[in-house]
Amino acid sequence: MLLRTGRTGVGSTVGHDLTIEVTDWSLELNVPDTGPADATATARVELGSLAVRDGTGGARPLSDKDRGEIENNARRTLDVARHPTATFESTRIVTGEDHATISGMLTLHGVAAPIDVEVREVRATRYRAATAVTQSSYGIKPYSALLGALKVRDDVVVEVEVDLEG
């Protein structure tokens, strides 16, 4: 699972657009014989397992120290001590010719709100899902620095790729 953040603000040139991996997460997909429209999906994400994998842009390349500071800031922003997990439970799946939309409830930071996840087939049995999570919709104030001149964008893109055979 990857989280992709962007930056904004007058000081955005010093910051980085980040790719953060969630290293501890699970997804349970139940597809009955009646087909994908009757399927259910449940996910659990351990928010303490964030690991910065890449940072593009910025005034200088990311150092290991920067990565550690960013991971700590993300955990603080998400208040992982009080809200260590995020969960998703599907409420409806709509299938199309080359994609599906999984609607459900995402619980993050103690707040449950509806969200849609778009799913596309990469190849037989392998699928990629993506959605944008608006932090403020879950009571999260996006991280900022330099007296607010550098901010993380409110929308964080979440991407998951799964192999149903593996």
Side-chain angles (χ1 to χ4, degrees), residues 14 16 18 20 50-52 60-78 143-146 150 152:
V14 299
H16 297 87
L18 300 171
I20 301 171
L50 304 177
V52 175
R60 59 185 170 81
L62 283 179
S63 67
D64 288 341
K65 180 182 177 198
D66 294 332
R67 291 173 199 274
E69 288 175 4
I70 292 166
E71 291 165 5
N72 287 334
N73 288 334
R75 289 183 187 103
R76 229 181 348 268
T77 298
L78 294 170
Y143 176 80
S144 67
L146 303 174
L150 169 63
V152 172

Side-chain angles (χ1 to χ4, degrees), residues 30-63:
N30 294 309
V31 183
D33 292 338
T34 55
D38 295 324
T40 59
T42 305
R44 182 176 180 88
V45 178
E46 299 301 329
L47 298 172
S49 72
L50 304 177
V52 175
R53 295 299 182 219
D54 192 28
T56 59
R60 59 185 170 81
L62 283 179
S63 67

Side-chain angles (χ1 to χ4, degrees), residues 87-158:
T87 58
F88 173 82
E89 292 189 38
S90 66
T91 55
R92 184 175 83 152
I93 298 178
V94 177
T95 58
E97 193 170 306
D98 65 344
H99 73 283
T101 301
I102 303 174
S103 300
M105 294 299 287
L106 174 64
T107 301
L108 173 64
H109 200 248
V111 176
I115 196 163
D116 291 331
V117 179
E118 298 299 319
V119 181
R120 296 206 177 274
E121 184 178 49
V122 176
R123 60 180 180 274
T125 75
R126 190 162 191 85
Y127 296 86
R128 181 173 295 132
T131 192
V133 174
T134 303
Q135 296 178 79
S136 59
S137 295
Y138 297 89
I140 299 167
K141 181 180 177 191
Y143 176 80
S144 67
L146 303 174
L147 301 174
L150 169 63
K151 301 174 188 172
V152 172
R153 290 190 187 277
D154 199 11
D155 284 349
V156 174
V157 175
V158 179

